[in-house]
């Protein structure tokens, strides 16, 4: 992302300085009980029901029962059949002892079981824990233990890492094997298959759902800024609203066909798991992002929408001609993370894609801001337009407010495109908090705002632009990598004296960890390759540095490592 902000294009529709989509609330004292607009006007079963994305499935299945809900390889399910499968799963889990407040974990690529779990598990008032299948066994074991998972649905391809993770626990978890015809077959992890479990359930099971919209619906883990993952908890209300915000912002409709190039474990698929259903569109599942499969799906199924990290865009742009399929309609692509460079945007547009830049975090259910295009941008040259499009933008329709504020006080800062502050968020689509971590929750919600830890500016047209990451989190292929966790691993190497990790720009992954290391005297023949191998042995592979620079580290007079110097050195390295 360019260090200098784009010109204030489209400023004729800009709000006052500091607005940035922020909406005010008058607050004040509640009305007395005997006020005319309070007396005899209470909530009851007729006028108040908890908001929950479960209602999207009920409505869509009754409205379009025979339309295709899900495609996965050669398999298709209508909305009537999909709802029946979700209810069977909920019924079977209940029969196996899953109760309100229990956690059900899923370790699987995109496919019908993962999507069905997004309805069946919340339908019981239980909490869905979609696990990052890129984690190593220790990371998965931590999540299962910390989240107190009662059941694990596990894809056959991931059976080995799951088996190692389960061996680290001191309690039993009911394991359900997911055998996907589209995936590799492997030795079963448990004795119960997914099909056998569904057969235990009732297709018309009346799931209880949430008692209150504040009830927890999902648990997701993010590494944050330390090596210990934080458990982010969502509620039904936030899931419902963020899904509707996505549907509105991305113009979903009953004719939409959504291709799952984004892992559903990412913020519950940025809540598109529920948004597509709310619109009555079609889910097209894809186990992994392969350019040939993506283009083929677009051509065969008339895909209209997809999401993914910038790496997905890079893969499509750089796909060989033999993998590409021409299509005659526009495909909307939402991307988040590092801003796509102008050549990527131009190449995507030439192939028939329309790119929308989003910003969000696990703590904000995925998309929190969107770079809404202004009419005036269409006449700009590509570099200028790309700079405008690369900004993080304005609040999503269902987020209450976005602010660039003073980190210590949350006070608003001038919308001048230059004054740096912390990106702060507020609204119903912000997490409940971190599971079993009240200190981190309180810090995240200081002054009544969610503190993202990202530093940026507010432009005069109300669009925010992130300039740096206060937390030193590296976003690699859409995944958060904690620099502190990698540094801890480096320091455990017997030959490492000092280490610091920063982000290095990468043409494929957006960013990758770059390690600067000072070796101990007598370290022998330790080199960069040996250090990378050490990290790959002790960390999930996507967290391991791809670049190691040996030598002394720059420091302040007090001995603090100057990471800003290292960031500049990393940026100056030849493109990865």
């Amino acid at each position: 992302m360019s260090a200098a902000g784009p010109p204030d294009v489209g400023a004729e529709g800009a709000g006052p300085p500091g607005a940035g989509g922020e909406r005010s609330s008058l607050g004040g004292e509640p009305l007395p009980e005997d006020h005319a607009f309070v007396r005899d006007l209470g909530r009851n079963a007729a006028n108040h029901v908890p908001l929950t994305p479960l209602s999207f499935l009920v409505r869509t299945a009754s409205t379009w029962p025979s339309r295709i809900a899900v495609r996965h390889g050669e398999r298709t399910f209508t909305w009537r059949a999909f709802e029946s499968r979700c209810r069977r799963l909920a019924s079977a889990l209940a029969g196996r002892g899953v109760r309100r407040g229990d956690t059900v974990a899923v370790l699987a690529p995109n496919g019908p079981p993962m999507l069905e779990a997004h309805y069946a598990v919340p339908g019981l008032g239980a909490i869905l824990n979609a696990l990052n299948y890129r984690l190593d066994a220790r990371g998965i074991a931590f999540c299962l233990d910390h989240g107190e998972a009662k059941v694990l649905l596990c894809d056959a391809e991931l059976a080995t890492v799951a088996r190692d993770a389960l061996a680290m626990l001191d309690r039993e978890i009911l394991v359900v094997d997911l055998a996907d015809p589209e995936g590799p077959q492997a030795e079963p992890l448990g004795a119960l298959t997914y099909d056998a479990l569904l057969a235990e359930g009732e297709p018309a099971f009346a799931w209880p759902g949430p008692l209150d919209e504040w009830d927890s619906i999902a648990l997701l883990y993010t590494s944050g800024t330390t090596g210990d993952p934080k458990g982010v908890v969502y509620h039904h209300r936030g899931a419902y609203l963020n899904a509707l915000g996505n549907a509105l912002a991305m113009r979903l409709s009953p004719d939409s066909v959504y291709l799952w190039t984004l892992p559903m474990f990412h913020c519950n698929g940025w809540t598109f798991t529920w948004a597509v259903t709310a619109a009555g569109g079609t889910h097209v599942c894809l186990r992994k992002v392969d350019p040939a499969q993506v283009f083929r799906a677009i051509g065969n199924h008339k895909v209209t929408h997809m999401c993914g990290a910038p790496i997905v865009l890079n893969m499509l742009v750089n796909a060989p001609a033999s993998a590409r399929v021409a299509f005659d309609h526009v495909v909307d692509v939402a991307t988040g993370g590092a801003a796509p460079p102008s050549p990527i945007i131009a190449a995507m547009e030439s192939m028939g894609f329309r790119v929308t830049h989003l910003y969000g975090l696990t703590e904000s259910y995925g998309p929190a801001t969107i770079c809404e295009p202004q009419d005036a941008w269409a006449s700009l040259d590509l570099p200028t337009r790309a700079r405008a499009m690369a900004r993080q933008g304005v609040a999503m329709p269902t987020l209450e407010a976005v602010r660039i504020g003073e980190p210590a006080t949350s006070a608003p800062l001038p919308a001048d495109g230059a004054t740096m502050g912390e990106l702060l968020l507020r609204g119903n689509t912000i997490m409940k908090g971190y599971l079993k971590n009240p200190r981190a929750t309180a810090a995240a919600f200081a002054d009544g705002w969610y503190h993202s830890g990202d530093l940026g500016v507010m432009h005069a047209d109300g669009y925010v632009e992130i300039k740096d990451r206060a937390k030193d989190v590296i976003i690699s292929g859409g995944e958060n990598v904690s620099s502190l966790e990698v540094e801890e691993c480096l320091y455990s190497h017997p030959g490492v004296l000092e280490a610091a990790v920063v982000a290095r720009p990468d043409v494929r992954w957006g960013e990758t960890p770059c390690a600067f290391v000072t070796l101990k005297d007598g370290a022998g023949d330790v080199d960069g390759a040996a250090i990378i191998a050490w990290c790959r042995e002790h960390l999930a592979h996507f967290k391991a540095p791809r670049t190691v620079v040996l030598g002394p580290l720059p420091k302040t007079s007090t001995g603090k490592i100057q990471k800003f110097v290292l960031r500049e050195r990393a940026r100056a390295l030849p493109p990865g």
Side-chain angles (χ1 to χ4, degrees):
M1 187 177 299
S2 173
D8 293 317
V9 292
E12 67 274 9
E22 184 172 334
R23 304 148 199 170
S24 63
S25 176
L26 295 177
E29 296 296 323
L31 294 174
E33 291 295 324
D34 61 352
H35 192 283
F37 282 94
V38 176
R39 187 180 63 248
D40 304 323
L41 296 176
R43 299 181 185 182
N44 58 70
N47 67 18
H48 181 77
V49 229
L51 298 180
T52 172
L54 297 172
S55 62
F56 301 149
L57 177 57
V58 175
R59 177 184 183 274
T60 296
S62 63
T63 305
W64 294 289
S66 300
R67 295 189 66 170
I68 299 300
V70 181
R71 295 185 183 275
H72 185 51
E74 299 300 318
R75 305 165 72 196
T76 61
F77 300 108
T78 64
W79 279 111
R80 181 188 289 114
F82 180 71
E83 182 190 28
S84 174
R85 288 172 63 87
C86 293
R87 292 187 182 277
R88 281 184 181 276
L89 177 56
S91 173
L93 289 173
R96 291 280 180 160
V98 175
R99 297 291 180 264
R100 187 178 303 280
D102 288 340
T103 301
V104 175
V106 184
L107 184 65
N110 295 340
M114 175 67 94
L115 192 58
E116 289 157 6
H118 275 77
Y119 296 89
V121 175
L124 294 175
I127 294 93
L128 175 66
N129 179 205
L131 293 167
N132 182 347
Y133 53 72
R134 296 180 68 188
L135 292 175
D136 57 16
R138 280 170 291 190
I140 292 170
F142 175 89
C143 297
L144 293 173
D145 183 55
H146 185 263
E148 301 180 28
K150 192 168 185 177
V151 179
L152 172 63
L153 309 181
C154 181
D155 186 85
E157 186 176 7
L158 302 164
T160 299
V161 68
R163 186 178 290 108
D164 292 342
L166 291 168
M168 299 178 188
L169 304 181
D170 58 3
R171 61 184 177 87
E172 293 295 320
I173 294 178
L174 174 64
V175 176
V176 181
D177 284 300
L178 309 179
D180 186 350
E182 299 298 316
Q185 304 307 301
E187 181 182 349
L189 183 60
L192 179 63
T193 67
Y194 188 71
D195 287 343
L197 180 65
L198 287 186
E200 297 176 5
E202 296 294 330
F205 176 67
W207 50 39
L211 297 177
D212 186 274
E213 58 192 30
W214 183 253
D215 287 355
S216 300
I217 188 173
L219 169 66
L220 298 129
Y221 282 92
T222 176
S223 60
T225 59
T226 70
D228 295 328
K230 294 188 183 73
V232 175
V233 182
Y234 292 171
H235 48 70
H236 283 253
R237 177 182 178 86
Y240 178 99
L241 291 172
N242 208 67
L244 289 184
N246 282 335
L248 178 60
M250 295 305 297
R251 301 172 295 280
L252 296 178
S253 76
D255 296 323
S256 297
V257 179
Y258 183 91
L259 180 62
W260 277 102
T261 47
L262 173 77
M264 293 184 196
F265 69 72
H266 267 307
C267 313
N268 297 114
W270 295 355
T271 72
F272 277 91
T273 44
W274 300 303
V276 176
T277 300
T282 298
H283 299 266
V284 179
C285 297
L286 200 61
R287 284 181 64 91
K288 63 179 181 179
V289 179
D290 174 80
Q293 292 186 42
V294 171
F295 279 108
R296 187 160 55 246
I298 293 173
N300 292 344
H301 305 308
K302 302 297 181 184
V303 168
T304 61
H305 292 79
M306 51 189 280
C307 296
I311 183 177
V312 175
L313 278 59
N314 285 334
M315 291 173 68
L316 296 178
V317 166
N318 295 303
S322 59
R324 300 188 185 189
V325 173
F327 48 91
D328 58 3
H329 63 284
V330 174
V331 179
D332 278 295
V333 181
T335 189
S342 56
I344 295 295
I345 293 175
M348 290 292 288
E349 289 183 354
S350 69
M351 291 191 296
F353 296 92
R354 179 167 52 207
V355 180
T356 298
H357 187 209
L358 304 173
Y359 164 84
L361 312 98
T362 304
E363 290 86 344
S364 63
Y365 295 70
T369 71
I370 177 172
C371 194
E372 295 279 15
Q374 296 290 331
D375 293 341
W377 296 3
S379 61
L380 299 174
D381 60 84
L382 181 60
T384 305
R385 179 159 56 89
R387 288 173 60 203
M389 292 173 64
R391 296 180 296 173
Q392 281 59 45
V394 297
M396 286 285 285
T398 45
L399 183 75
E400 186 63 22
V402 177
R403 171 183 288 183
I404 294 296
E406 172 61 44
T409 66
S410 303
L413 295 172
D416 55 11
T419 305
M420 189 90 73
E422 185 177 14
L423 179 63
L424 308 174
L425 306 172
R426 172 184 286 170
N428 294 292
T429 54
I430 300 298
M431 66 170 180
K432 294 178 73 171
Y434 297 114
L435 183 67
K436 302 176 185 177
N437 198 337
R439 179 176 297 180
T441 299
F445 293 151
D447 306 312
W449 290 87
Y450 170 68
H451 289 250
S452 72
D454 287 327
L455 301 177
V457 299
M458 178 77 74
H459 289 276
D461 60 358
Y463 281 57
V464 297
E465 180 182 11
I466 291 177
K467 296 291 189 178
D468 202 356
R469 296 186 183 92
K471 301 175 184 178
D472 291 327
V473 171
I474 301 160
I475 302 179
S476 181
E479 299 279 357
N480 280 6
V481 179
S482 166
S483 62
L484 297 182
E485 181 182 10
V486 182
E487 287 166 5
E488 182 178 358
C489 178
L490 289 167
Y491 274 108
S492 69
H493 189 288
V496 171
L497 177 65
E498 294 178 323
V501 176
V502 297
R504 177 192 177 190
D506 187 273
V507 293
R508 182 181 183 193
W509 300 101
E511 295 176 344
T512 56
C514 177
F516 291 84
V517 174
T518 302
L519 296 175
K520 296 177 181 177
D521 291 336
D525 58 355
V526 174
D527 58 11
I531 290 174
I532 291 173
W534 171 273
C535 291
R536 288 175 65 86
E537 180 182 352
H538 294 84
L539 295 170
H541 287 186
F542 73 91
K543 297 181 179 181
R546 291 174 177 265
T547 308
V548 174
V549 179
L550 301 178
L553 304 184
K555 298 176 184 176
T556 66
S557 58
T558 59
K560 183 177 180 180
I561 296 173
Q562 296 175 308
K563 278 200 168 183
F564 71 94
V565 175
L566 298 180
R567 290 191 192 96
E568 291 302 320
R569 291 182 183 176
R571 293 190 187 103
L573 293 172

